[in-house]
Amino acid sequence: MEAEDVRREVRAWLEANWNPDLSLVEWRNKLADSGWAAPTWPERWYGRALPVALGDVVSEEIERIGAVGPPTGSGMTLVAPTLLEHGSDELKQRLLRPILTGEHTWCQLFSEPGSGSDLAGLTTRAELDTATDEYVVNGQKLWSTSAHHAMYGMLLARTNWDVPKHRGITYFALEMHQPGVVVRPLRQMNGYASFNEVFLNDARVHRLNVVGEAGNGWTVALATLAHERRMFDAIQARGRSPKGKGRAIDENRAEIADLMEPYKWYPQRAGRVDLIVERAVQTGRNTDPVVRQEVVKLLSLARAAQWTAQRAKAARVLGKPPGPEGSLGKLYASQVAKGCARVHTLISGTDALLHGADGPLEGTIGEILLSVPAVSIAGGTDEIQRNIVSERVLGLPKDPAIEVDKPFRDVPKNLSGPRR
Ligand SMILES: Cc1cc2nc3c(=O)[nH]c(=O)nc-3n(C[C@H](O)[C@H](O)[C@H](O)COP(=O)(O)OP(=O)(O)OC[C@H]3O[C@@H](n4cnc5c(N)ncnc54)[C@H](O)[C@@H]3O)c2cc1C
């Protein structure tokens, strides 16, 4: 199918069906039935099996007509692709549609106090209770963005301690609203509380909610992580509702306000390179030769990062496998963010330290300084990205793999969770 055929067909369908007076769920159900909610998904699962480039044409048309599109967030961008790749038909049947309609929201329960970079060293345990066919889960998760309002969690837990660490992990779809799950928000140094610690005390998850095979969770987790970068792009691109009036639009606005709450400070964590020149001019620091040199260095780096991201996107649209641009892009993002913090401080001087209304740009510069460190940690730290680039792109010798072949039970652990 050509782009223009898709454009014509989706446009005709939207013109005949878009009705802002429907409830959000009613409208999303119609969209799901039409195959236009997720046009790149298989036909059997609400899609039209279109390539990514044609999927973008559908999004453009939904935006052009001012209709509400599918939800943005980890359900659509992380969970659904993982389920499509690894989930049983029963799970797809049960979980995909409420993701498409926005009725189910999700969070990611991967990191733990003792395992972030070394995710495969996780110690949350799940044991099968054969009487009920349910796994009983005990342990602690950390950094879980949006867990405080998620209905399901993508949970990684250890189900076998007698095999090497990568082979004893299982991936579950865990219901969050149950007595065994306690979610506590964590306050960050920039004042927001976007992520949580999640305590699992005899939480229960049915065997049918295993994604993939028991013990094969590491492979399934890698599928989720491969989509993580796209989630931030999707949130940036679609984290806003259409203008106009109507029940579906109002409900979408409320949904997006909830979704975006934990991400409010994300523009600041990226460093706000867009403010650099404006601030240099405003403060008169644009005439200082040292400041000018630093501004130009930073803007050149930011432009190179932008072009690398465009190359990565073009490759994705052409259906090419992800290349080194992904890891380079992540490193670029953290270099740009750190550079911004430095140059904003150079421009604002000690005023940059002022918080709230007293600070430059009503505290935005101060918020940048306190938010930038997150870019070098979230989604894989800078050091881990450098390991990936050196090993997979440059072919340098591997980071020493310590005791990866030993049964996990016998491996020394960075334990703050239950000792086994
Ligand atoms: C904003 C934000 C949102 C997040 N959201 C989520 C979420 O929703 N769900 C979730 O599960 N997690 C989430 N995380 C967690 C994130 O994935 C982890 O913080 C990250 O993987 C690092 O793990 P860690 O914090 O345990 O640090 P550690 O792994 O303990 O690392 C500590 C330091 O040691 C270095 N280091 C570790 N191993 C190596 C190595 N082999 N070589 C060289 N240096 C090394 C690291 O680079 C780092 O500097 C989020 C984090 C942030 C900042």
Side-chain angles (χ1 to χ4, degrees):
M1 223 176 176
E2 296 296 321
E4 281 321 301
D5 300 330
V6 171
R7 198 178 293 285
R8 204 172 315 114
E9 201 179 323
V10 67
R11 188 175 288 189
W13 186 86
L14 284 166
E15 277 164 6
N17 290 280
W18 164 233
N19 177 358
D21 295 327
L22 294 176
S23 77
L24 184 59
V25 171
E26 281 166 344
W27 162 243
R28 291 245 179 86
N29 270 311
K30 254 173 160 329
L31 202 58
D33 289 335
S34 72
W36 294 122
T40 58
W41 293 9
E43 287 176 34
R44 184 169 170 215
W45 301 111
Y46 314 108
R48 291 178 170 239
L50 293 183
V52 174
L54 296 186
D56 289 348
V57 171
V58 175
S59 307
E60 281 163 25
E61 282 306 304
I62 292 178
E63 199 169 325
R64 191 193 60 80
I65 199 171
V68 173
T72 314
S74 59
M76 274 303 278
T77 45
L78 301 183
V79 181
T82 307
L83 286 175
L84 286 168
E85 209 175 315
H86 293 282
S88 65
D89 281 359
E90 192 278 331
L91 265 186
K92 289 181 202 155
Q93 188 74 45
R94 190 153 44 90
L95 295 180
L96 284 176
R97 193 169 183 109
I99 289 176
L100 270 184
T101 58
E103 288 165 283
H104 284 180
T105 49
W106 287 71
C107 66
Q108 191 187 36
L109 303 175
F110 283 13
S111 305
E112 297 182 3
S115 49
S117 302
D118 179 25
L119 186 57
L122 59 90
T123 56
T124 291
R125 66 180 192 277
E127 286 161 332
L128 186 62
D129 172 359
T130 46
T132 58
D133 234 8
E134 288 172 334
Y135 283 87
V136 181
V137 187
N138 282 284
Q140 186 192 342
K141 296 290 171 178
L142 191 63
W143 299 96
S144 316
T145 309
S146 301
H148 52 294
H149 56 65
M151 296 169 74
Y152 276 86
M154 300 162 248
L155 169 73
L156 293 182
R158 190 162 301 279
T159 44
N160 188 345
W161 297 70
D162 296 316
V163 293
K165 64 178 178 181
H166 291 91
R167 288 202 252 134
I169 297 170
T170 300
Y171 192 122
F172 298 94
L174 175 85
E175 280 184 54
M176 297 291 286
H177 296 157
Q178 56 162 307
V181 178
V182 175
V183 180
R184 287 204 203 131
L186 289 168
R187 184 75 48 192
Q188 301 140 218
M189 66 178 173
N190 63 4
Y192 295 91
S194 311
F195 26 74
N196 305 272
E197 43 188 354
V198 177
F199 297 92
L200 302 156
N201 301 312
D202 290 335
R204 295 205 157 240
V205 54
H206 199 278
R207 198 158 59 90
L208 290 174
N209 279 24
V210 170
V211 183
E213 302 290 321
N216 196 31
W218 185 247
T219 307
V220 186
L222 291 182
T224 302
L225 293 172
H227 293 283
E228 196 153 286
R229 188 121 191 91
R230 273 189 49 216
M231 184 171 102
F232 297 114
D233 296 344
I235 285 172
Q236 268 170 357
R238 287 191 276 132
R240 55 183 187 271
S241 44
K243 296 198 170 61
K245 287 194 167 60
R247 183 173 169 189
I249 294 177
D250 290 344
E251 290 178 6
N252 180 233
R253 216 167 268 142
E255 175 190 71
I256 287 180
D258 265 1
L259 171 82
M260 296 307 284
E261 183 63 34
Y263 302 107
K264 267 186 177 164
W265 54 284
Y266 274 43
Q268 276 64 263
R269 90 174 196 171
R272 297 300 304 268
V273 72
D274 58 308
L275 296 178
I276 293 280
V277 172
E278 180 188 317
R279 286 281 306 151
V281 174
Q282 248 173 27
T283 53
R285 299 282 283 148
N286 58 332
T287 55
D288 180 322
V290 175
V291 172
R292 291 165 67 90
Q293 288 296 323
E294 291 301 318
V295 166
V296 168
K297 260 196 261 171
L298 174 64
L299 294 186
S300 312
L301 183 71
R303 190 61 67 86
Q306 200 184 354
W307 286 333
T308 304
Q310 279 171 1
R311 281 215 327 263
K313 184 167 184 223
R316 185 172 66 79
V317 166
L318 291 172
K320 292 190 183 163
E325 298 90 357
S327 310
L328 292 178
K330 175 83 205 335
L331 270 177
Y332 262 139
S334 81
Q335 293 303 313
V336 170
K338 284 179 184 163
C340 283
R342 199 166 39 79
V343 178
H344 274 304
T345 312
L346 197 60
I347 293 170
S348 298
T350 45
D351 283 1
L353 299 175
L354 292 173
H355 179 70
D358 288 341
L361 297 186
E362 307 244 304
T364 302
I365 303 298
E367 192 171 308
I368 292 169
L369 303 193
L370 294 175
S371 305
V372 151
V375 187
S376 309
I377 307 172
T381 65
D382 287 0
E383 290 74 19
I384 296 300
Q385 298 302 329
R386 288 202 178 91
N387 277 350
I388 294 172
V389 172
S390 60
E391 291 171 18
R392 299 198 200 147
V393 183
L394 302 175
L396 294 174
K398 284 191 174 251
D399 208 23
I402 301 159
E403 299 182 312
V404 282
D405 296 326
K406 258 194 180 177
F408 188 69
R409 192 184 292 286
D410 302 331
V411 174
K413 297 169 190 70
N414 177 10
L415 263 189
S416 53
R419 195 172 287 276
R420 294 284 303 219

